[in-house]
Amino acid sequence: MMRVRRPRRSAPPDLAALRTRALAEALFRLRAPAEIVLTAALRRIARRNGAVFERLGPYRNSGFVIAPSDLPVAFRLTPSGADGRIAVVRPADPGPFAARICGPLLDLLDLFDGSLDADAAFFSRTLLVEGDTAAVVALHNALEAADLGLVDLLGLPVGRGAAEAALSRLARAARRHAAARG
């Protein structure tokens, strides 16, 4: 009896992985507007409160990678005062950095605006830190001294009241949604 060889079927593509890769590529290709807005926000903070950047000491011109675990992109923060810059980077290839901080986006935003206890988040492994711990401590101290809100971090118009309230409501809704899913 003669056997007929059938061609092997390849495994079906992982649609979730394909969507994630497509989203990552789209976000990376459309990074310029985000970089402009975030860099402008960083420089506005430097103009209003330049002493905050002095608290970074030797890490003032270092790179810090902020890598949201729920986004397919990361952000490279180079404080440098009035010359500071925020770039959207690929998480796997962010370039050289003093420290990388990873965690859910909402937790990272809460960390930066001071509403999340950094020590508790680190020890509970909500946030992961890689690199120079002294750099992270310097960044934490600088952020604490800056007294920033979400409006400042996201580069929104300075009218804090309504924008801050809307962002807080949005963040709470996102947390409720995430808690319901997981």
Side-chain angles (χ1 to χ4, degrees):
M1 180 176 221
M2 185 179 219
R3 286 190 171 167
V4 177
R5 287 192 121 175
R6 293 184 188 166
R8 284 188 172 184
R9 288 186 182 180
S10 60
D14 180 357
L15 293 179
L18 289 174
R19 278 193 294 260
T20 300
R21 280 197 301 269
L23 176 61
E25 193 58 34
L27 287 172
F28 191 73
R29 288 182 186 268
L30 299 172
R31 68 188 180 273
E35 289 177 345
I36 291 167
V37 169
L38 294 171
T39 295
L42 179 66
R43 291 177 179 175
R44 185 179 318 124
I45 293 166
R47 281 192 307 275
R48 285 194 330 217
N49 192 358
V52 166
F53 294 92
E54 297 307 319
R55 290 180 144 260
L56 289 167
Y59 303 104
R60 185 172 194 261
N61 297 311
S62 296
F64 294 88
V65 175
I66 311 304
S69 56
D70 45 359
L71 284 183
V73 295
F75 303 91
R76 181 182 170 79
L77 163 68
T78 308
S80 304
D83 296 324
R85 181 170 169 11
I86 297 179
V88 177
V89 297
R90 296 182 193 277
D93 187 23
F97 57 85
R100 177 196 308 247
I101 305 168
C102 303
L105 177 63
L106 293 176
D107 289 336
L108 290 168
L109 289 172
D110 286 347
L111 174 72
F112 277 84
D113 81 359
S115 59
L116 177 68
D117 179 343
D119 295 331
F122 174 74
F123 288 114
S124 70
R125 300 228 185 263
T126 300
L127 299 178
L128 301 174
V129 174
E130 175 184 342
D132 188 340
T133 317
V136 174
V137 170
L139 181 62
H140 175 262
N141 291 340
L143 289 170
E144 222 173 43
D147 190 31
L148 302 175
L150 283 175
V151 169
D152 303 306
L153 295 172
L154 299 177
L156 299 175
V158 180
R160 293 189 130 209
E164 189 80 37
L167 284 170
S168 292
R169 283 194 300 275
L170 182 62
R172 281 194 305 274
R175 275 197 190 78
R176 282 193 303 271
H177 177 70
R181 287 180 43 195

XYZ file of all heavy atoms in Angstrom, residues 8-66:
463
model
N 2.153 19.387 5.752
C 1.859 19.785 7.140
C 1.249 21.176 7.158
O 1.692 22.066 6.449
C 3.132 19.813 7.974
C 3.599 18.473 8.339
C 4.717 18.631 9.315
N 5.061 17.319 9.814
C 5.948 17.113 10.737
N 6.599 18.114 11.253
N 6.207 15.897 11.149
N 0.285 21.298 7.982
C -0.310 22.620 8.172
C 0.481 23.359 9.230
O 0.839 22.789 10.257
C -1.754 22.502 8.651
C -2.675 22.031 7.602
C -4.069 22.109 8.145
N -5.001 21.603 7.167
C -6.284 21.547 7.360
N -6.794 21.962 8.509
N -7.073 21.089 6.439
N 0.721 24.592 8.959
C 1.397 25.374 9.987
C 0.370 25.777 11.030
O -0.827 25.837 10.756
C 2.070 26.610 9.384
O 1.099 27.415 8.765
N 0.851 26.031 12.212
C -0.038 26.429 13.301
C -0.708 27.749 12.944
O -0.102 28.600 12.298
C 0.759 26.574 14.591
N -1.960 27.917 13.357
C -2.627 29.192 13.058
C -1.886 30.334 13.765
O -1.323 30.154 14.851
C -4.031 29.012 13.631
C -3.935 27.887 14.590
C -2.783 27.036 14.147
N -1.868 31.481 13.130
C -1.150 32.602 13.759
C -1.814 33.003 15.069
O -3.029 32.906 15.213
C -1.241 33.719 12.722
C -2.386 33.359 11.845
C -2.509 31.866 11.888
N -1.013 33.418 16.002
C -1.510 33.904 17.279
C -2.021 35.324 17.050
O -1.246 36.269 16.922
C -0.374 33.889 18.311
C -0.824 34.383 19.665
O -2.000 34.800 19.812
O 0.006 34.366 20.593
N -3.345 35.452 16.954
C -3.936 36.745 16.610
C -3.640 37.821 17.647
O -3.412 38.979 17.290
C -5.448 36.594 16.408
C -5.852 35.763 15.190
C -7.363 35.654 15.093
C -5.274 36.340 13.921
N -3.623 37.448 18.905
C -3.318 38.445 19.940
C -1.904 38.981 19.769
O -1.668 40.185 19.871
C -3.504 37.841 21.326
N -0.965 38.079 19.470
C 0.423 38.513 19.261
C 0.540 39.389 18.025
O 1.268 40.383 18.021
C 1.346 37.302 19.150
N -0.196 39.028 16.979
C -0.171 39.849 15.767
C -0.736 41.244 16.028
O -0.190 42.241 15.566
C -0.964 39.170 14.641
C -0.325 37.938 14.030
C -1.291 37.283 13.040
C 0.974 38.297 13.338
N -1.832 41.302 16.779
C -2.429 42.610 17.112
C -1.470 43.434 17.949
O -1.326 44.640 17.739
C -3.752 42.411 17.846
C -4.908 42.138 16.927
C -6.230 42.276 17.679
N -6.364 41.258 18.700
C -7.073 40.147 18.563
N -7.717 39.910 17.453
N -7.142 39.278 19.535
N -0.813 42.797 18.919
C 0.136 43.520 19.772
C 1.289 44.064 18.949
O 1.690 45.213 19.111
C 0.653 42.602 20.893
O -0.461 42.167 21.668
C 1.644 43.313 21.779
N 1.817 43.236 18.050
C 2.920 43.699 17.188
C 2.468 44.841 16.289
O 3.197 45.796 16.070
C 3.487 42.551 16.369
C 4.455 41.690 17.159
C 5.318 40.835 16.264
N 4.574 39.927 15.417
C 4.248 38.686 15.736
N 4.610 38.187 16.894
N 3.579 37.918 14.904
N 1.247 44.737 15.738
C 0.724 45.792 14.872
C 0.532 47.086 15.662
O 0.871 48.175 15.180
C -0.600 45.355 14.239
N 0.009 46.981 16.889
C -0.159 48.161 17.727
C 1.186 48.773 18.069
O 1.367 49.999 18.000
C -0.910 47.798 19.014
C -1.071 48.918 20.043
C -1.867 50.081 19.467
C -1.726 48.393 21.306
N 2.154 47.934 18.408
C 3.492 48.435 18.742
C 4.089 49.172 17.557
O 4.655 50.265 17.710
C 4.408 47.275 19.155
N 3.954 48.603 16.387
C 4.517 49.239 15.194
C 3.812 50.561 14.907
O 4.453 51.562 14.579
C 4.430 48.292 13.998
C 5.251 48.720 12.824
C 6.734 48.881 13.137
O 7.291 48.134 13.955
O 7.344 49.784 12.534
N 2.485 50.584 15.033
C 1.736 51.826 14.798
C 2.137 52.904 15.801
O 2.377 54.057 15.428
C 0.232 51.546 14.875
N 2.212 52.531 17.082
C 2.600 53.509 18.100
C 4.015 54.020 17.861
O 4.298 55.206 18.033
C 2.493 52.901 19.501
C 1.088 52.702 20.045
C 1.133 51.925 21.354
C 0.394 54.028 20.241
N 4.882 53.123 17.458
C 6.268 53.538 17.231
C 6.362 54.458 16.009
O 7.063 55.464 16.038
C 7.179 52.320 17.075
C 8.621 52.677 17.105
C 9.225 53.048 18.298
C 9.367 52.701 15.949
C 10.562 53.414 18.331
C 10.704 53.057 15.977
C 11.301 53.417 17.168
N 5.649 54.138 14.955
C 5.690 54.985 13.755
C 5.041 56.348 13.986
O 5.405 57.317 13.329
C 5.027 54.274 12.582
C 5.848 53.128 12.056
C 5.171 52.479 10.865
N 5.870 51.298 10.454
C 6.825 51.280 9.537
N 7.190 52.384 8.947
N 7.405 50.147 9.214
N 4.073 56.408 14.885
C 3.368 57.665 15.176
C 3.885 58.325 16.449
O 3.169 59.069 17.108
C 1.864 57.399 15.292
C 1.209 56.831 14.034
C -0.216 56.416 14.320
C 1.275 57.834 12.895
N 5.136 58.077 16.784
C 5.679 58.543 18.063
C 5.953 60.037 18.109
O 5.987 60.626 19.185
C 6.929 57.758 18.416
C 8.109 58.035 17.514
C 9.267 57.075 17.800
N 10.395 57.309 16.956
C 10.572 56.784 15.749
N 9.658 55.976 15.271
N 11.639 57.056 15.050
N 6.165 60.670 16.983
C 6.583 62.079 16.971
C 5.636 62.992 17.753
O 6.103 63.793 18.579
C 6.780 62.570 15.545
N 4.309 62.914 17.550
C 3.434 63.812 18.326
C 3.558 63.590 19.838
O 3.597 64.552 20.605
C 2.025 63.472 17.832
C 2.230 62.850 16.491
C 3.557 62.147 16.554
N 3.624 62.325 20.257
C 3.766 62.040 21.693
C 5.083 62.587 22.222
O 5.135 63.170 23.311
C 3.676 60.540 21.953
N 6.155 62.412 21.466
C 7.460 62.924 21.895
C 7.444 64.445 22.019
O 8.000 65.004 22.959
C 8.548 62.482 20.915
C 8.851 61.003 20.993
C 9.879 60.553 19.974
O 10.172 61.298 19.014
O 10.401 59.427 20.145
N 6.800 65.119 21.079
C 6.724 66.586 21.114
C 5.978 67.053 22.354
O 6.441 67.925 23.088
C 6.077 67.129 19.820
C 7.018 66.903 18.632
C 5.708 68.601 19.961
C 6.370 67.117 17.276
N 4.816 66.459 22.607
C 3.987 66.866 23.749
C 4.692 66.555 25.067
O 4.749 67.400 25.976
C 2.601 66.180 23.689
C 1.829 66.369 24.984
C 1.807 66.715 22.509
N 5.233 65.348 25.195
C 5.877 64.958 26.452
C 7.169 65.735 26.695
O 7.457 66.132 27.835
C 6.137 63.447 26.467
C 4.875 62.577 26.485
C 5.234 61.114 26.278
C 4.078 62.785 27.755
N 7.943 65.979 25.653
C 9.172 66.773 25.802
C 8.827 68.201 26.191
O 9.474 68.796 27.064
C 10.012 66.730 24.514
O 10.449 65.381 24.307
C 11.224 67.643 24.597
N 7.782 68.766 25.579
C 7.349 70.121 25.935
C 6.921 70.180 27.401
O 7.230 71.148 28.111
C 6.214 70.583 25.023
N 6.226 69.137 27.875
C 5.809 69.100 29.282
C 7.027 69.058 30.199
O 7.072 69.769 31.210
C 4.917 67.883 29.534
N 8.012 68.227 29.850
C 9.230 68.126 30.652
C 9.954 69.479 30.710
O 10.386 69.921 31.775
C 10.147 67.051 30.066
C 11.476 66.819 30.766
C 11.246 66.251 32.168
C 12.346 65.876 29.950
N 10.050 70.136 29.578
C 10.739 71.428 29.528
C 9.955 72.519 30.250
O 10.540 73.424 30.845
C 11.027 71.806 28.081
C 12.081 70.878 27.477
C 12.356 71.163 26.037
N 13.395 70.255 25.538
C 13.780 70.211 24.293
N 13.244 71.028 23.388
N 14.715 69.361 23.926
N 8.623 72.417 30.238
C 7.799 73.368 30.994
C 8.060 73.207 32.493
O 8.190 74.184 33.227
C 6.318 73.153 30.689
C 5.422 74.205 31.349
C 3.939 74.037 31.033
N 3.675 73.722 29.659
C 2.983 72.647 29.254
N 2.467 71.818 30.130
N 2.777 72.417 27.987
N 8.172 71.963 32.932
C 8.489 71.700 34.342
C 9.851 72.290 34.678
O 10.032 72.913 35.725
C 8.446 70.186 34.640
C 7.015 69.660 34.519
C 9.022 69.877 36.013
C 6.910 68.149 34.453
N 10.814 72.144 33.764
C 12.169 72.677 33.988
C 12.142 74.199 34.097
O 12.842 74.781 34.928
C 13.101 72.250 32.863
N 11.331 74.848 33.261
C 11.248 76.322 33.325
C 10.606 76.784 34.629
O 11.029 77.767 35.224
C 10.449 76.862 32.136
C 11.222 76.932 30.849
C 10.481 77.740 29.791
N 9.107 77.298 29.557
C 8.748 76.312 28.730
N 9.679 75.665 28.056
N 7.480 75.993 28.575
N 9.562 76.080 35.053
C 8.842 76.493 36.261
C 9.597 76.142 37.533
O 9.478 76.843 38.530
C 7.464 75.831 36.299
C 6.494 76.435 35.346
C 5.075 76.009 35.614
N 4.978 74.676 36.187
C 4.037 73.805 35.903
N 3.111 74.106 35.052
N 4.011 72.632 36.467
N 10.324 75.044 37.510
C 10.960 74.577 38.736
C 12.265 73.860 38.404
O 12.391 72.651 38.596
C 9.992 73.649 39.491
C 10.448 73.346 40.889
O 11.514 73.787 41.310
N 9.662 72.582 41.603
N 13.235 74.609 37.902
C 14.507 74.031 37.483
C 15.289 73.354 38.594
O 16.086 72.453 38.345
N 15.045 73.763 39.836
C 15.771 73.172 40.963
C 15.473 71.680 41.111
O 16.289 70.934 41.645
C 15.419 73.909 42.249
N 14.323 71.256 40.609
C 13.956 69.838 40.684
C 15.013 68.996 39.990
O 15.408 67.938 40.479
C 12.569 69.616 40.037
C 12.306 68.154 39.781
C 11.494 70.204 40.910
N 15.497 69.474 38.869
C 16.477 68.705 38.106
C 17.841 68.685 38.787
O 18.613 67.750 38.585
C 16.575 69.247 36.682
C 15.300 69.026 35.911
C 14.317 70.000 35.885
C 15.068 67.824 35.270
C 13.134 69.786 35.202
C 13.892 67.604 34.584
C 12.909 68.582 34.557
N 18.111 69.688 39.587
C 19.379 69.694 40.322
C 19.421 68.571 41.349
O 20.488 68.075 41.684
C 19.589 71.054 41.006
C 19.704 72.224 40.039
C 20.763 72.010 38.966
O 21.855 71.491 39.276
O 20.493 72.353 37.801
N 18.245 68.138 41.818
C 18.182 67.035 42.792
C 18.647 65.708 42.192
O 18.927 64.764 42.911
C 16.753 66.860 43.324
C 16.323 67.983 44.203
C 14.898 67.755 44.689
N 14.785 68.230 46.049
C 14.830 67.453 47.125
N 14.941 66.164 47.026
N 14.734 67.979 48.322
N 18.722 65.643 40.872
C 19.192 64.422 40.221
C 20.700 64.263 40.322
O 21.224 63.179 40.074
C 18.772 64.410 38.754
C 17.280 64.210 38.515
C 16.933 64.524 37.068
C 16.870 62.798 38.874
N 21.386 65.351 40.683
C 22.838 65.288 40.846
C 23.522 64.746 39.604
O 23.269 65.209 38.493
N 24.361 63.730 39.772
C 25.121 63.208 38.625
C 24.239 62.507 37.583
O 24.716 62.182 36.502
C 26.097 62.225 39.266
C 25.469 61.827 40.548
C 24.685 63.027 41.018
N 22.969 62.287 37.886
C 22.073 61.590 36.967
C 21.226 62.551 36.143
O 20.330 62.139 35.420
C 21.174 60.615 37.741
C 21.984 59.635 38.531
C 22.120 59.776 39.909
C 22.655 58.599 37.908
C 22.892 58.896 40.639
C 23.435 57.711 38.628
C 23.546 57.868 39.993
O 24.319 56.996 40.709
N 21.533 63.835 36.245
C 20.751 64.873 35.567
C 20.678 64.635 34.062
O 19.669 64.921 33.436
C 21.382 66.231 35.863
C 20.623 67.385 35.320
C 21.228 68.685 35.846
N 20.323 69.777 35.612
C 20.443 70.615 34.591
N 21.437 70.492 33.751
N 19.570 71.581 34.447
N 21.747 64.139 33.456
C 21.779 63.910 32.009
C 21.696 62.431 31.641
O 21.968 62.060 30.505
C 23.045 64.530 31.410
C 23.053 66.030 31.584
O 22.072 66.700 31.279
N 24.146 66.561 32.095
N 21.324 61.613 32.604
C 21.225 60.169 32.366
C 19.904 59.818 31.698
O 18.939 60.576 31.759
C 21.322 59.408 33.687
O 22.582 59.607 34.275
N 19.886 58.645 31.103
C 18.651 58.145 30.519
C 17.911 57.261 31.516
O 18.521 56.449 32.214
N 16.613 57.460 31.598
C 15.738 56.631 32.423
C 14.693 56.049 31.480
O 14.026 56.799 30.762
C 15.038 57.453 33.510
C 15.973 58.014 34.535
C 16.572 59.254 34.346
C 16.254 57.316 35.696
C 17.430 59.784 35.292
C 17.118 57.840 36.647
C 17.709 59.076 36.440
N 14.546 54.743 31.475
C 13.543 54.117 30.625
C 12.327 53.807 31.488
O 12.435 53.146 32.525
C 14.084 52.831 29.965
C 12.981 52.117 29.182
C 15.246 53.182 29.049
N 11.201 54.328 31.066
C 9.926 54.072 31.733
C 9.175 53.128 30.800
O 8.797 53.514 29.689
C 9.132 55.391 31.944
C 10.019 56.484 32.563
C 7.874 55.131 32.742
C 10.688 56.110 33.860
